Amino acid sequence: MYTFYFEKLEVWQNARNLVKDIYLVSRKFPDEERFGITNQLRRAATGIMANNAEGTGKSTNKDKSRFINIAYSTGLEVISFLVLARDLDLISEEEYIELRHQTEKITNQLNAFYNSLK
């Protein structure tokens, strides 16, 4: 099986792990949040991974950087939802710290990737 370039990137691999971890932790969210914060948090996390992958497939650095910037912005969205999830006691302090740390690492990597494309 062929391995695409994006699959080799540490930032994409980290985003993939974040998505998995967010899916696992959000399983315990209340049913009434299924179409609320659960859905929004999961979509934002998968958006980081997807935009990163899509960006690497673009032919120009300008197009690539646009998608990497979108992935970065979506990372900030994940952090915002994590703060809300913690405020609502949907996740523990330990879960919050771990997921936030993962997301901050990814946004730092995306920022460095974006700057390398300039």
Side-chain angles (χ1 to χ4, degrees):
M1 180 177 355
Y2 179 77
T3 302
F4 288 92
Y5 171 70
F6 72 86
E7 294 175 286
K8 299 174 187 175
L9 294 173
E10 183 181 334
V11 65
W12 184 84
Q13 293 168 8
N14 289 340
R16 179 182 175 191
N17 287 329
L18 176 67
V19 170
K20 180 187 72 163
D21 291 345
I22 283 178
Y23 265 78
L24 292 174
V25 78
S26 64
R27 281 182 183 170
K28 67 180 182 180
F29 288 6
D31 286 343
E32 67 263 17
E33 286 299 331
R34 189 171 63 170
F35 299 110
I37 192 171
T38 305
N39 185 45
Q40 292 292 325
L41 183 57
R42 287 177 174 185
R43 286 177 56 132
T46 55
I48 298 170
M49 194 174 83
N51 282 299
N52 191 5
E54 188 171 358
T56 61
K58 299 300 178 182
S59 58
T60 67
N61 280 358
K62 182 179 179 182
D63 286 339
K64 287 177 185 176
S65 64
R66 181 172 157 261
F67 280 89
I68 299 307
N69 183 257
I70 292 169
Y72 174 86
S73 299
T74 307
L76 300 180
E77 185 179 358
V78 167
I79 290 173
S80 180
F81 283 120
L82 290 173
V83 169
L84 179 59
R86 181 64 198 120
D87 288 346
L88 297 172
D89 289 324
L90 299 175
I91 57 176
S92 69
E93 183 69 18
E94 294 77 22
E95 290 167 325
Y96 169 75
I97 290 170
E98 175 57 31
L99 292 169
R100 175 141 185 167
H101 176 73
Q102 284 178 259
T103 309
E104 287 175 357
K105 180 177 181 178
I106 292 164
T107 55
N108 288 338
Q109 290 174 315
L110 289 167
N111 191 45
F113 190 14
Y114 177 82
N115 288 331
S116 75
L117 295 171
K118 287 184 177 179

